[in-house]
Every structure is written in structure tokens, then in C-alpha cells.
Amino acid sequence: MTLNEFKKKAAWAALDYICPGTVIGVGTGTTVFYFIQALSAVKKIIYGAISSSNSSTVLLKKYGIKVLNINNFNSLDVYIDSADEINYQMQMIKGGGAALTGEKIIAEISKKFVCIIDQSKRVDVLGKFPLPIEIIPMALTYISREIIKIGGNPKFRKNVVTENGNIILDVYNLHIQNPILMEDKINSFPGVVTVGLFAKRSADIVLIGKKNGVEVIKK
Ligand code: 5RP
């Protein structure tokens, strides 16, 4: 089986976590693409969706799912998204698709974060996947220097402007032993919009697509 087939299995399993009549949060990426396809099969049971990115909005609308404005909601029951890496404490690196800011806002207001992954995303220590940071353009040199001081190797993501008009730094070479401390540290640099470490707001449920089914891990 391919990784895409594992992603698809996890995506379909996430339908079990949707309550009828509710508005759900929807992430971004290839795994979420499969989730949106799955969601279209049951779209009548939900009221609508809050989207984390323009690309997910386009897909949701294409599949006939109503997209609502997050600013009209104080909280959501469930947010369904994937991750680039997830450790055994359910803390994640996200932002490979540059949609980390929208993703973090939705995760923050959601009661439950259901993370759908293939097994390649599971790691002991976060950091092999370069950590994305959305920053405002004038902070590029300053933040790059600060990142080098904490042992990272920052690389400017070429040809990417986020939906908020910012840029992305991908940080290589990190071995993140304490994700909460690292999240706080990077958030403290002026000019950081969002760091793609989801350690303070980690996942609540992880669905891992595997050859013989879907493994469910709960906090
Ligand atoms: C996008 C994300 C995605 O969840 C992450 O990149 C995983 O993507 P995929 O499902 O394509 O492997 O954080 O910003």
C-alpha cells in the first residue's frame, strides 16, 4: 500500500468524530484533501465548515460544502487536520503547506483536534521535518540570526507568500526536546506571526492509517 492509501484510510476514519448539525474546522494538505472527499459523502449531516486556507476553501466549495466565516464562531466541536510530524505527546510540527496561521487559530478555538496521518509522520523527537515559521518580511534577517543562536539553520522558503502577505522561514537542524519551551521562545521574537509548533495546543486524537486498518490514539 502507498502512503496516500494510508492517508485516505485515516481521513475516512475521521468521519466518526463529526457530530450531526455542527460546524467543523478543516485543515490543509493532501491528507485533508482525502478528508474533504470523504466529507462530501456525508455533507448533509453537517451545517458547514470553517476552512484554514484558500486551497481548502476551493475544495470544500467544489464538493458542495458550505464554508463559513470563523469570526462568527466562538468555538467549534472538532478540528480535523494532518501534521508534518507528531510525537508521542501528540505535539506536532505543521505548516508544510504554509497555512499554519489559519490552522493554529482554528485549532485554538476547537474543543477537539483530530489529527489524521499516515504512519510516516510519527516521530520520537520533533525536528527532522524543517520547522516552518511565518514571519513578517522586515523581520527576516533578525529572526534568522536568533534562530541560528538556538542551533537552527533557517532557510527562506522561496516563491511563497502566505495568505496573510507574509513569508516563511523553514528551520532545519532542530532536535526539539522541549516543544513547549521552543514554541514560547520562537513566539517571543518580534516579527513572528506563527510558529508551526503545535505543542501547547496539541492533538486530542490521532488516527493513523495503516495496512491493516486505522490505529486510534487518544490523550
Ligand atoms: C499544512 C499542514 C499539513 O497538515 C501538513 O503539511 C501535512 O500535509 P499532508 O497531509 O499533505 O502530508 O500543516 O500547512
Side-chain angles (χ1 to χ4, degrees):
M1 282 184 101
T2 64
L3 281 185
N4 279 341
E5 286 167 313
F6 296 140
K7 288 180 181 195
K8 204 182 282 186
K9 278 189 180 193
W12 278 83
L15 294 182
D16 290 347
Y17 296 85
I18 296 172
C19 291
T22 56
V23 172
I24 64 165
V26 176
T28 298
T30 52
T31 319
V32 167
F33 166 71
Y34 293 123
F35 172 68
I36 293 173
Q37 282 188 327
L39 191 59
S40 71
V42 298
K43 64 185 170 206
K44 291 210 171 75
I45 72 162
I46 59 162
Y47 183 73
I50 303 291
S51 172
S52 58
S53 64
N54 290 337
S55 56
S56 289
T57 300
V58 168
L59 276 173
L60 286 159
K61 288 184 174 167
K62 177 178 158 201
Y63 284 101
I65 297 157
K66 200 192 304 173
V67 178
L68 300 151
N69 181 346
I70 188 170
N71 286 314
N72 294 327
F73 295 86
N74 292 322
S75 83
L76 300 176
D77 269 0
V78 68
Y79 177 51
I80 294 166
D81 196 1
S82 187
D84 296 301
E85 277 186 353
I86 184 162
N87 67 14
Y88 287 82
Q89 290 71 46
M90 300 195 183
Q91 298 164 319
M92 298 164 280
I93 286 183
K94 291 185 46 55
L100 59 166
T101 299
E103 293 171 346
K104 216 171 212 186
I105 294 165
I106 305 179
E108 201 60 40
I109 67 158
S110 297
K111 290 183 192 138
K112 206 178 288 164
F113 187 138
V114 178
C115 183
I116 48 177
I117 53 165
D118 64 77
Q119 51 198 341
S120 71
K121 307 286 183 70
R122 203 89 158 113
V123 297
D124 288 326
V125 180
L126 298 172
K128 198 163 177 206
F129 188 93
L131 175 66
I133 312 174
E134 179 170 353
I135 64 172
I136 65 165
M138 74 173 286
L140 177 61
T141 302
Y142 159 66
I143 292 174
S144 298
R145 284 206 322 265
E146 293 303 312
I147 292 295
I148 291 166
K149 283 186 205 160
I150 59 171
N153 179 14
K155 293 249 184 303
F156 167 61
R157 198 183 292 182
K158 287 196 183 122
N159 303 319
V160 172
V161 176
T162 69
E163 290 175 19
N164 314 302
N166 298 311
I167 56 176
I168 299 278
L169 263 187
D170 290 306
V171 183
Y172 291 77
N173 224 17
L174 290 175
H175 193 67
I176 307 172
Q177 299 283 10
N178 190 331
I180 290 181
L181 264 186
M182 181 68 85
E183 186 174 0
D184 278 342
K185 176 79 184 164
I186 293 175
N187 270 330
S188 75
F189 302 143
V192 167
V193 176
T194 303
V195 55
L197 258 178
F198 285 56
K200 292 172 121 171
R201 205 296 174 238
S202 53
D204 301 296
I205 296 171
V206 184
L207 305 177
I208 311 173
K210 293 185 164 175
K211 196 168 163 214
N212 300 320
V214 174
E215 183 182 352
V216 179
I217 302 170
K218 292 186 181 166
K219 234 177 206 163

